[in-house]
Amino acid sequence: MSRAGLVLWRLLQIVPTFLLIGVTIFVLARLLPGDPVSAMLGDRASDEAVNRLRQQMGFDRSILTQFVLFIEGIARGDFGSSTAYRIPVTQLIGERLPVTITLTALATVIALVFAVPLAFVAAVKANRWPDFLIRGVFQVGLSSPVFYVGLILLTVFAAWLRWFPVGGYGETLGDKLWHLFLPALTLALSFSAIIMRNLRAAILEVLTAEFVDFARSKGLAQRIILFRHVLRNALVSTVTLVGLHAGSLLGGAVITESVFAVPGVGRLMVDSIFARDYPVIQALTLVLAVVVSLAFLVTDLIQMALDPRVAR
Amino acid sequence: MSGGPDPILAVERLAVTFDTPRGSVRAVDGVDLSVREGEILGLVGESGSGKSVTLRGIVRLLRANAAVAGRVLWKGADLLAASPERLQAVRGREIAMIFQEPMTALNPVLSIGTQIEESLVAHTTLDDAGRKRRAAELLDLVGIASAKVRLAAYPHEFSGGMRQRAMIAIALAAQPRLLLADEPTTALDVTIQDQILKLLLGLCQDLGMAMILVTHDLGVVAETCDRVSVMYAGRVVESGPVEALFRHPRHAYTHALLRSMPHGGAARQPLVPIPGQPPRLDRPVEGCPFAPRCQLVEDRCRTVAPPFEPVGPAHAAACWASDRLAMAEGTA
Ligand SMILES: Nc1ncnc2c1ncn2[C@@H]1O[C@H](COP(=O)(O)OP(=O)(O)OP(=O)(O)O)[C@@H](O)[C@H]1O
Ligand SMILES: [Mg+2]
C-alpha cells in the first residue's frame, strides 16, 4: 500500500472507532451516579427550576431520543453546550485541547531527549558502570508516582528556586513552553524510563545481528556502524512503543494538569466528571480517541520511513 | 611450507578461547593457514570444528568474550597486534568477508545501493556520482540485471540467490585482495549454489583475488580450490594441494571423510557423518582429538598428540597413522 493510501485507509478506520466510542461513552456517562441537573443547581433548587433545566438540556426525553440527537449533533459538529461552563463544548475543547497536545508533545520530546542518548550509552557500555548508573537513575524515575514527582519538582524548581512558574499557562509560545516545562518533565520521567529500557534492549539485540558483523567487516567507522546500522534498526521497535503510549500519556496529563493547574483537557475531564457535565465528557472522550488514533497513524508513518519492510 | 611465492596471508598458531558461563571453550586451538596471491584455499570440517571462528579471528570479528592468541600476518604485519585504525583500513579494502545467511547479513533497513556506497565512502575517494556509477557496475558484475534500478531495492525485495549476489557485490566494492567466504552457498537452493560458486570462482580469476572458502562440501573443494585445510576440533589436521590430499590423504580423519564419499570426491556431496562425536572443547584433549572415533587408532594416539609434519610437497598432516595410510594407498 502506498503512503497516501495508508493515510486515507487509516483515516477511514477512525470513523467506526468513533461511532463505537460514541455509543459506549453515551451509555457510560448515564451510568455515572448522580444527576447533572441537581449537580448544576445544588441540593436546594426548587423542583420547578430543576424540571425547567431538564427540559432545556433535553434530559426529559427518552434515552433513545437523546442518543439520536447526540449523534445528529456530532454529525453537524455540534456537541451541545457545557452544563457547567454554559458555553459550546466545541469552544471549550478548542481552547483547551492545544494546551494538552503541547504538553504531551513537549513531554515526548523531553522523554526522547533523555532516553535515546542514554539508552545508547547504556547499551554500548552494557554491564559496566555507566550502564548501571543510567539504569539505576531511570529505575527511580519509573517507580515514582507521577503526582509525587510533580509535587517535588514544583516545590524545588517553582517554589524554592523560582526558575519556573508554579502553575497556569502563558500568552506567547515561549511563555507557554516555559509554563509547561515542569508539568511536561513530570509527565516525561516514567515515559523516558520506559523508552530507555526498551531502546537499550533493542540496541543490545541489534548489536549481535550478523549484519552488524558484516558492516564491521566492510571497514566502516564505529560511528557509522552505531548510528546508521544499529540505532536505526533499534528505533523501529521504540517508535511503536512511543506511539502505543500516546493514550497513557494523555492519562498522565490528567494528573499533571491537576497538580500544576494547567488549563488543559486533562483537568477539564476531571472537573467535568465531578460536575456530571455529560456533553463535555462525551465530546472529550471522542476527541481524545481521535487524537490517539492520529498518534498511531503518525507512528506508522515514522515506522514506514525507518523500516522499508513495513511499507508493504 | 615450501615452493611458490610468499603467502599474502599467514595464520600462525591462531587460538580462540571463549569465556562462557559454563567455562572456557577453546574453539580454535593453534591453527596454521597460508594463502598466496590469487589462490583459493578450501577450509573443511564438521560442524563446530572452528571454521567460522577461524575466519572471524583473521579480521578480529569476534565478540567480547573471545580471547585471541597467535599471529595473523597480512602482507607481513600482524593484524592481531594492529591498531583499530589499521584494522579498519584492512577490513573491506584488503580483506573482505561474506556470510552464510544473506538475509541476516544484509541490513534490512538500508537499500542495497546504500550498503555498497558506504564501503566506497570508507575506502575510495569517489564522489557521489562516481559511487553511484561504481555501485551499478558492481551489481552488474555479480549478475544482477537492471543494476541501476536495483540499487534502490531493499534486501527483502530480493530472492535468496540475489541477496547473496548483492552481499558479494558489497564485499567486493573496495576491490579486496582476499575474500573470506563462510559457507556462501549453504543457505541456497542447489541450482543457485552452483551459480554462486561459479560467480565467485570467475570473480577470483578476473580480479586476481584470493579466497578462503569454508564449506561442508568436499565436492565443492575438489572443483574449486587450489589447496585445502581440514579442520577437526579446532585444529588443522591436514593441509595440502587438493589433488594430493584427495588422492593420498595422510590423516585418518581426512581418509574417513573421503571414504564416506561416493566416487572419491568427484560428485558434489555434503560430508557424511563419521560415527561418534567430536571431543568437548571446554576441557583439554589428551593425545589426538580424533582418536576416539578413529579406525586406525593405536596406543600412542590416546596419549601423545601427533605433530603437524610435512608429508609431501606443500602437504602436511598431524596423524600417527600417516605412514600406514601412505603405504596402504601405495599398495592399493
Ligand atoms: N561466541 C561464542 N561463545 C562461545 N562459544 C562459541 C562462540 N562462537 C562459537 N563458539 C563455539 O566454537 C566452536 C566452533 O564454532 P564455529 O562456528 O567456528 O564452527 P564451524 O566449523 O563454523 O561450524 P559450522 O559448520 O556449523 O558453521 C563451536 O563449538 C561453537 O559452539
Ligand atoms: Mg560456521
Side-chain angles (χ1 to χ4, degrees):
Chain A
M1 203 185 292
S2 73
R3 196 160 304 187
L6 179 103
V7 172
L8 212 75
W9 173 236
R10 294 292 297 274
L11 288 176
L12 277 177
Q13 279 182 326
I14 295 181
V15 175
T17 315
F18 203 80
L19 278 178
L20 199 68
I21 293 176
V23 175
T24 315
I25 194 60
F26 181 85
V27 174
L28 279 183
R30 273 144 192 84
L31 289 178
L32 281 177
D35 178 72
V37 176
S38 3
M40 282 162 75
L41 298 179
D43 290 341
R44 302 202 295 172
S46 67
D47 281 358
E48 194 193 337
V50 168
N51 278 335
R52 200 169 51 236
L53 191 63
R54 290 186 75 90
Q55 219 166 348
Q56 246 176 28
M57 316 279 313
F59 291 140
D60 57 333
R61 319 232 191 137
S62 75
I63 290 281
L64 202 65
T65 319
Q66 285 185 44
F67 183 70
V68 172
L69 289 174
F70 170 63
I71 296 293
E72 262 180 23
I74 292 174
R76 287 196 313 268
D78 174 11
F79 290 90
S81 286
S82 158
T83 55
Y85 295 86
R86 303 191 185 239
I87 55 170
V89 171
T90 39
Q91 185 193 337
L92 190 62
I93 294 180
E95 280 166 10
R96 302 206 171 197
L97 187 61
V99 182
T100 302
I101 300 232
T102 315
L103 173 65
T104 43
L106 188 60
T108 306
V109 170
I110 293 174
L112 289 173
V113 163
F114 278 114
V116 173
L118 289 174
F120 205 71
V121 174
V124 172
K125 303 264 177 217
N127 297 321
R128 276 176 283 167
W129 71 262
D131 181 32
F132 292 129
L133 184 71
I134 291 168
R135 278 198 288 164
V137 169
F138 273 96
Q139 189 59 41
V140 174
L142 191 58
S143 43
S144 315
V146 175
F147 69 89
Y148 185 63
V149 173
L151 285 178
I152 291 178
L153 290 177
L154 205 55
T155 316
V156 176
F157 293 102
W160 287 354
L161 296 172
R162 295 180 187 279
W163 290 356
F164 293 97
V166 180
Y169 196 50
E171 290 301 318
T172 63
L173 181 67
D175 200 26
K176 286 174 181 170
L177 291 181
W178 184 54
H179 274 84
L180 288 182
F181 186 79
L182 280 188
L185 187 63
T186 309
L187 203 50
L189 273 188
S190 65
F191 191 34
S192 184
I194 294 169
I195 298 176
M196 204 289 293
R197 285 165 62 118
N198 171 280
L199 186 58
R200 175 185 173 275
I203 291 173
L204 282 180
E205 189 179 326
V206 175
L207 274 174
T208 67
E210 203 166 66
F211 65 76
V212 174
D213 287 334
F214 187 45
R216 287 217 171 87
S217 79
K218 288 155 74 174
L220 302 182
Q222 179 77 352
R223 171 177 44 87
I224 291 181
I225 293 170
L226 288 180
F227 285 94
R228 187 182 296 158
H229 289 264
V230 177
L231 189 60
R232 182 148 173 205
N233 274 279
L235 277 176
V236 172
S237 77
T238 305
V239 166
T240 316
L241 180 90
V242 171
L244 286 176
H245 267 79
S248 52
L249 212 52
L250 285 172
V254 171
I255 305 173
T256 23
E257 285 179 5
S258 301
V259 173
F260 289 90
V262 174
V265 291
R267 230 179 90 207
L268 179 61
M269 184 64 122
V270 177
D271 293 347
S272 305
I273 289 173
F274 281 124
R276 310 277 173 267
D277 197 343
Y278 290 173
V280 176
I281 299 174
Q282 286 165 175
L284 209 46
T285 312
L286 283 171
V287 167
L288 291 182
V290 173
V291 169
V292 171
S293 301
L294 290 179
F296 286 171
L297 178 58
V298 171
T299 309
D300 283 355
L301 290 176
I302 296 177
Q303 229 180 357
M304 276 172 92
L306 280 178
D307 186 352
R309 286 167 301 178
V310 177
R312 239 158 291 134
Chain B
M1 259 157 267
S2 56
D6 280 349
I8 47 170
L9 177 78
V11 176
E12 296 176 354
R13 314 307 304 156
L14 181 71
V16 180
T17 311
F18 291 106
D19 186 16
T20 74
R22 289 159 286 112
S24 67
V25 172
R26 200 159 181 79
V28 172
D29 192 3
V31 159
D32 292 305
L33 295 173
S34 67
V35 183
R36 274 173 268 279
E37 193 88 47
E39 184 182 53
I40 300 181
L41 172 71
L43 194 57
V44 294
E46 291 176 314
S47 187
S49 56
K51 307 181 295 292
S52 300
V53 173
T54 300
L55 280 202
R56 284 165 172 269
I58 291 172
V59 278
R60 283 164 57 186
L61 272 183
L62 293 159
R63 306 237 176 277
N65 69 337
V68 187
R71 296 208 296 172
V72 175
L73 298 176
W74 172 250
K75 295 179 174 168
D78 186 7
L79 287 182
L80 295 186
S83 68
E85 295 76 28
R86 168 81 188 128
L87 193 65
Q88 199 178 309
V90 170
R91 285 177 181 166
R93 176 70 188 88
E94 297 178 25
I95 306 178
M97 186 159 178
I98 56 176
F99 294 83
Q100 174 176 339
E101 237 326 314
M103 191 66 234
T104 54
L106 293 174
N107 189 326
V109 306
L110 298 179
S111 72
I112 299 295
T114 308
Q115 297 189 55
I116 298 179
E117 283 178 45
E118 63 182 3
S119 287
L120 297 173
V121 172
H123 299 297
T124 69
T125 54
L126 292 172
D127 63 1
D128 197 48
R131 289 198 295 265
K132 290 243 148 43
R133 209 173 323 114
R134 175 89 182 109
E137 280 170 21
L138 280 160
L139 281 195
D140 206 47
L141 184 70
V142 298
I144 291 180
S146 47
K148 270 219 178 65
V149 188
R150 299 294 198 167
L151 284 176
Y154 290 90
H156 72 277
E157 296 169 316
F158 277 10
S159 67
M162 270 173 48
R163 275 180 220 144
Q164 192 56 278
R165 285 173 196 271
M167 177 144 73
I168 294 169
I170 294 168
L172 297 187
Q175 296 168 289
R177 304 309 303 148
L178 170 67
L179 183 66
L180 308 176
D182 192 354
E183 306 197 39
T185 61
T186 310
L188 306 173
D189 291 345
V190 183
T191 48
I192 316 268
Q193 286 187 4
D194 267 334
Q195 294 174 10
I196 297 290
L197 271 178
K198 288 214 177 73
L199 172 70
L200 281 173
L201 271 184
L203 287 168
C204 283
Q205 256 157 30
D206 296 348
L207 307 173
M209 180 175 66
M211 176 163 74
I212 300 183
L213 179 65
V214 168
T215 176
H216 278 124
D217 192 333
L218 285 176
V220 167
V221 173
E223 281 172 26
T224 58
C225 298
D226 303 310
R227 287 189 313 117
V228 56
S229 289
V230 181
M231 285 192 71
Y232 187 81
R235 305 173 194 191
V236 171
V237 293
E238 180 165 10
S239 128
V242 168
E243 272 273 319
L245 189 138
F246 273 55
R247 284 234 178 120
H248 310 291
R250 298 292 295 273
H251 192 287
Y253 175 62
T254 320
H255 181 73
L257 281 183
L258 289 168
R259 263 218 323 217
S260 62
M261 282 183 70
H263 317 114
R268 296 266 314 274
Q269 284 284 315
L271 300 187
V272 176
I274 300 166
Q277 295 287 321
R280 293 177 54 161
L281 300 172
D282 56 358
R283 51 183 72 152
V285 179
E286 212 176 304
C288 171
F290 186 58
R293 298 165 77 185
C294 183
Q295 298 198 317
L296 304 173
V297 66
E298 44 188 280
D299 279 346
R300 60 176 165 170
C301 295
R302 300 188 209 276
T303 50
V304 187
F308 191 63
E309 282 178 337
V311 292
H315 189 173
C319 182
W320 289 126
S322 180
D323 291 341
R324 273 192 287 152
L325 278 167
M327 268 152 38
E329 292 284 330
T331 54

